[in-house]
Amino acid sequence: MEKIIVLNLKMNMDYNDMLKYIEDMKVYKKDFIVCPSNIYIPYFLENGYEVGVQNIFYHDSGSYTGEVSSRQVKSLGVKYTIAGHSERRRCFQETDEQINRKIKCALKNGLEVILCVGEKARGDYKEILKKQILEALDGVSKPIYIAYEPIWAIGSGNTPTKEELLEVINYIKELKPSSKILYGGSVNKENISSVNIKEVSGFLIGNASLSTSHVKQILDVVR
Ligand code: PGA
C-alpha cells in the first residue's frame, strides 16, 4: 500500500504565502494531503489538492460560534480530518471523550480520520497510548489512521529510533489491529529515511511542511 503524507500547516502562512505554496507544489499536488488553516481550504481544493482539516467539531450544524463541522467541510470536498492533535489537547483542553465524539461525527459524514496520540516523556508510552486510543475509539468500528506523535518529538528535532518506533507500532496494532499507523514528530528531509520503516503507513509533518523544497525531498524518499 502506498504511504500517505499529511502536511499539517498549523496556523501558518498569510494569503500570499499560501498562493505561492499552491503554485510551488502543483506538480506534487496528488502526492500528499494538505491540512491548511480552514480559511485557505477552498483555494487548495480549487487547485486540485487533497485536503484535510486540522480539527473538526462534533455537531453537524447549529449555534456553535466559531466552530466548523464535518458536514460543512465534506460538502466542500475535504476528505480527511486530524483529531486529537497534542496542541488541541494542550492549548484547548480537548479530552478523549470530546475527541471520540469528533471522530464519530466525522466518520458519519464520510471523512477519513487521523487520530493523533503520543506520550509526554520518552519511553513511557503504554498507559497513555492505551487510554488515548481506547477512549477516542470507543464504539468506533471503521478503520482509521492513528498518528503516533510523541510529544517529546514534536518540534524538538528528536525522533524515535527504528527499534523504538517498531515497538510502539506493534503495541498500537495490539490495541487496534485494523488501524493504519502514521508517524509524526520532527520528520524532516534529514531523518525521513530512518523513520521510513515498512510498518509505518505514512507521516504527519508539521514544521518541515512549511518549506516546499523540504517537502519535495521527503516525497522523493517516501515515494
Ligand atoms: P513537527 O510537528 O513535524 O513540527 O514536529 C508535527 C505535528 O505537530 O503534527
Side-chain angles (χ1 to χ4, degrees):
M1 193 201 69
E2 196 167 67
K3 298 194 182 199
I4 65 162
I5 308 278
V6 184
L7 304 180
N8 179 8
L9 302 182
K10 307 193 180 181
M11 196 181 70
N12 290 301
M13 297 193 190
D14 65 16
Y15 177 67
N16 289 317
D17 298 332
M18 180 267 303
L19 292 180
K20 187 168 181 319
Y21 197 91
I22 286 176
E23 179 62 22
D24 277 2
M25 294 306 288
K26 66 181 179 207
V27 175
Y28 298 84
K29 66 186 171 196
K30 293 294 177 198
D31 292 340
F32 56 83
I33 297 146
V34 63
C35 301
S37 294
N38 286 345
I39 51 170
Y40 299 146
I41 289 173
Y43 298 93
F44 280 96
L45 285 171
E46 281 161 14
N47 283 282
Y49 284 78
E50 298 286 328
V51 178
V53 285
Q54 299 171 12
N55 174 47
I56 203 71
F57 195 50
Y58 47 72
H59 285 294
D60 285 344
S61 58
S63 303
Y64 302 103
T65 302
E67 293 295 332
V68 171
S69 77
S70 298
R71 186 163 145 203
Q72 290 176 314
V73 300
K74 178 72 184 175
S75 72
L76 276 182
V78 169
K79 293 194 185 144
Y80 297 82
T81 184
I82 297 173
H85 191 279
S86 63
E87 287 154 15
R88 302 275 333 157
R89 295 176 191 261
R90 188 184 76 239
C91 305
F92 305 99
Q93 290 77 47
E94 259 187 33
T95 65
D96 292 312
E97 195 251 330
Q98 289 170 330
I99 294 163
N100 176 255
R101 293 178 72 185
K102 291 182 175 194
I103 291 174
K104 284 179 173 159
C105 190
L107 290 172
K108 182 190 80 183
N109 282 290
L111 293 179
E112 292 224 44
V113 172
I114 301 157
L115 165 66
C116 297
V117 298
E119 76 284 7
K120 282 207 179 80
R122 192 172 197 148
D124 210 6
Y125 67 89
K126 285 199 172 159
E127 279 317 301
I128 184 85
L129 258 52
K130 187 172 180 183
K131 180 177 182 303
Q132 288 178 338
I133 291 171
L134 296 186
E135 290 187 16
L137 298 183
D138 183 35
V140 173
S141 52
K142 281 194 193 154
I144 66 156
Y145 290 97
I146 296 180
Y148 171 53
E149 293 214 310
I151 293 168
W152 55 265
I154 295 178
S156 67
N158 299 317
T159 51
T161 62
K162 281 193 168 82
E163 294 71 30
E164 284 173 323
L165 190 52
L166 190 56
E167 184 183 316
V168 178
I169 288 172
N170 288 335
Y171 181 69
I172 297 175
K173 284 270 178 207
E174 273 172 37
L175 296 171
K176 277 281 157 190
S178 62
S179 58
K180 287 163 275 184
I181 300 163
L182 311 182
Y183 171 72
S186 290
V187 174
N188 60 33
K189 63 183 167 54
E190 277 83 32
N191 61 31
I192 182 66
S193 300
S194 76
V195 288
N196 188 24
I197 60 176
K198 72 173 190 320
E199 291 79 4
V200 164
S201 297
F203 300 95
L204 179 50
I205 304 174
N207 266 328
S209 68
L210 298 175
S211 156
T212 53
S213 72
H214 280 234
V215 174
K216 288 173 193 172
Q217 289 178 69
I218 291 170
L219 288 170
D220 283 344
V221 173
V222 180
R223 291 272 172 249

